[in-house]
Amino acid sequence: TGTLTASIAHEFNNLLTPIMGYSILTLEGLPEEYSDLADNVAEIYEASRKAKAIISRLNSLSRRNAEESFRPLDLPTLVSKALSVAAPAMPPNVTPCVKNEAGELWVSGSETQLSQLLLNLILNAYQAMEATGGTLTLTLREQEGQALVLVEDTGSGIPADVIGRIFDPFYTTKESGRGTGLGLAIVRQVAESHHGEISVASILGKGTIFTLCLPSVSPAIAA
């Protein structure tokens, strides 16, 4: 349930609402002799209603779990672990590089969710460089009480007409079978649930930089 975000739940509800509405309209317009068809439409409505209820419960549970599981986390260690987990997916012509400009850097959050966020960004970068090769650079900085992680690839870049939509649920530029369009939507929701934000900048033919910004906590709080 940690990956069921508010934005994704909203998208599902947008799909279910017209299904429920048109089901009611169809039921009201069916002649009495079409009782079997009316029963089928009623089942569609009831299944949609139950789906909306389930989405609502899971979304509430996701928020509660996120709040309850927050604890101090060593951000450089999280980055290193995410790189290790992603290693099997690294193209042979790609070189990873970590630049820790902050030294010790702590944030408060869910280890599972932040690890998934970092893993998604790393895997996206690897896929962007599959054809051309290149360098993945993860830079850690601390700036005005904020912990920054810059995930930079030297891939083909993101077109200007696409970049504004890449965090939207279910939007994907990957070919069929290679992506659901949920990865970056989840990245944004996890960042926001940790009182942070994620931004992106890209130049066609040169690469892309995702910047994760989270509130940092002091080593004393972390201890």
Side-chain angles (χ1 to χ4, degrees), residues 100-119:
N100 186 351
E101 300 176 358
E104 195 172 84
L105 192 57
W106 292 81
V107 296
S108 177
S110 161
E111 181 174 1
T112 299
Q113 292 182 27
L114 288 180
S115 295
Q116 181 182 20
L117 181 157
L118 292 167
L119 183 60

Side-chain angles (χ1 to χ4, degrees), residues 149-216:
V149 181
L150 285 70
V151 181
E152 179 178 2
D153 68 65
T154 56
S156 56
I158 303 171
D161 61 340
V162 170
I163 200 166
R165 299 183 60 192
I166 61 172
F167 293 110
D168 293 349
F170 307 109
Y171 182 77
T172 178
T173 59
K174 299 172 185 176
E175 60 267 28
S176 178
R178 295 211 62 191
T180 62
L182 294 181
L184 290 177
I186 291 170
V187 163
R188 180 175 64 179
Q189 176 59 24
V190 170
E192 291 177 350
S193 71
H194 284 71
H195 310 292
E197 60 183 21
I198 183 81
S199 60
V200 60
S202 187
I203 300 176
L204 278 178
K206 293 189 176 180
T208 302
I209 303 176
F210 285 90
T211 301
L212 171 65
C213 180
L214 299 170
S216 62

